[in-house]
Amino acid sequence: MNTNRLSASMAASLNAQMTKEAHAAQIYLSYAAWLDDKGYAGMANFLFRHAHEERNHMMKFLEYILERGAKVKIEAIPAPGEEPKSVNDCFEKFFQQEVDNTTAIYKLVKESFEEGDWATWHFMQWFVKEQLEEETLAMDLLDKLKIAGGEKASGEALYSLDRDLKDKPDEAGLAEDVTTENP
Ligand code: FEO
């Protein structure tokens, strides 16, 4: 009896996304190592934690594919690509990586919708919210860097940003949680 509840194309897309999440983890590890090497231990710490989150995302896809009775395919993870050229460049790349990932997540949502695979559609909603949070987090960081002077940020401004990021919560506040008392 066939107990596989995913179509062949959906299983392939979910497997590809699983590898994409692992790739994001490698990218953030490389950025974190670059930052640490430049002396920004707090910013590095933030991206080390974020790399860990991406591995958790990878595991969610892996577990879901198994849960639906399909085959998990562990593939090679591509190399992370170029090193950042500056702290500003590093966080612009971080933002762009998250936007690209959102595009990939939306594609999966659309595919599951078109197939009428409501279990996968439902599973993907967690990632839609997660991407909203991650883009917000990345945008907040870029705003802070912009205020600090962007590419021209002084050593002092980068020092204080580095200190802030060391213990920054990994979750961003979302518009849907806002009230008039708690803007
Ligand atoms: Fe797994 Fe940052 O998205």
Side-chain angles (χ1 to χ4, degrees), residues 21 24 28 50 54 57 98 101 127 130-131 134:
E21 301 289 344
Y28 296 155
H50 213 83
E54 298 300 347
H57 296 170
E98 287 305 327
N101 200 45
F127 286 94
E130 183 66 10
Q131 284 311 117
E134 300 205 331

Side-chain angles (χ1 to χ4, degrees), residues 17 20-22 24-25 28 50 53-58 61 94 97-99 101-102 105 126-127 130-131 134-135:
Q17 185 61 31
K20 214 169 177 336
E21 301 289 344
Y28 296 155
H50 213 83
E53 247 189 66
E54 298 300 347
R55 295 281 295 180
N56 285 342
H57 296 170
M58 176 202 72
F61 279 102
F94 172 59
Q97 169 63 30
E98 287 305 327
V99 171
N101 200 45
T102 301
I105 295 288
W126 186 90
F127 286 94
E130 183 66 10
Q131 284 311 117
E134 300 205 331
E135 283 188 13

Side-chain angles (χ1 to χ4, degrees), residues 8-148:
S9 63
M10 186 57 72
S13 301
L14 289 165
N15 269 295
Q17 185 61 31
M18 176 183 71
T19 307
K20 214 169 177 336
E21 301 289 344
H23 187 211
Q26 297 299 89
I27 291 171
Y28 296 155
L29 278 182
S30 78
Y31 293 173
W34 180 86
L35 283 162
D36 202 282
D37 183 56
K38 301 282 173 230
Y40 301 111
M43 296 185 200
N45 202 303
F46 169 80
L47 282 176
F48 279 133
R49 296 198 306 273
H50 213 83
H52 190 68
E53 247 189 66
E54 298 300 347
R55 295 281 295 180
N56 285 342
H57 296 170
M58 176 202 72
M59 282 306 295
K60 284 187 197 296
F61 279 102
L62 188 150
E63 191 57 39
Y64 180 73
I65 297 164
L66 290 177
E67 198 172 273
R68 302 302 287 153
K71 251 191 140 29
V72 164
K73 272 189 89 175
I74 302 294
E75 310 257 27
I77 305 169
E82 271 180 35
E83 281 191 331
K85 291 177 183 61
S86 64
V87 172
N88 197 60
D89 183 45
C90 178
F91 286 102
E92 280 183 0
K93 281 184 156 69
F94 172 59
F95 176 67
Q96 192 53 50
Q97 169 63 30
E98 287 305 327
V99 171
D100 292 349
N101 200 45
T102 301
T103 305
I105 295 288
Y106 287 1
K107 245 180 104 187
L108 268 164
V109 173
K110 190 162 180 271
E111 196 179 330
S112 60
F113 185 90
E114 283 168 358
E115 265 196 26
D117 178 349
W118 305 120
T120 301
W121 183 89
H122 181 258
F123 170 71
M124 290 309 300
Q125 297 311 303
W126 186 90
F127 286 94
V128 171
K129 186 165 183 243
E130 183 66 10
Q131 284 311 117
L132 174 58
E133 275 185 19
E134 300 205 331
E135 283 188 13
T136 306
L137 196 65
M139 272 188 241
D140 284 352
L141 283 175
L142 282 182
D143 282 348
K144 285 196 171 71
L145 262 167
K146 200 169 156 197
I147 292 167

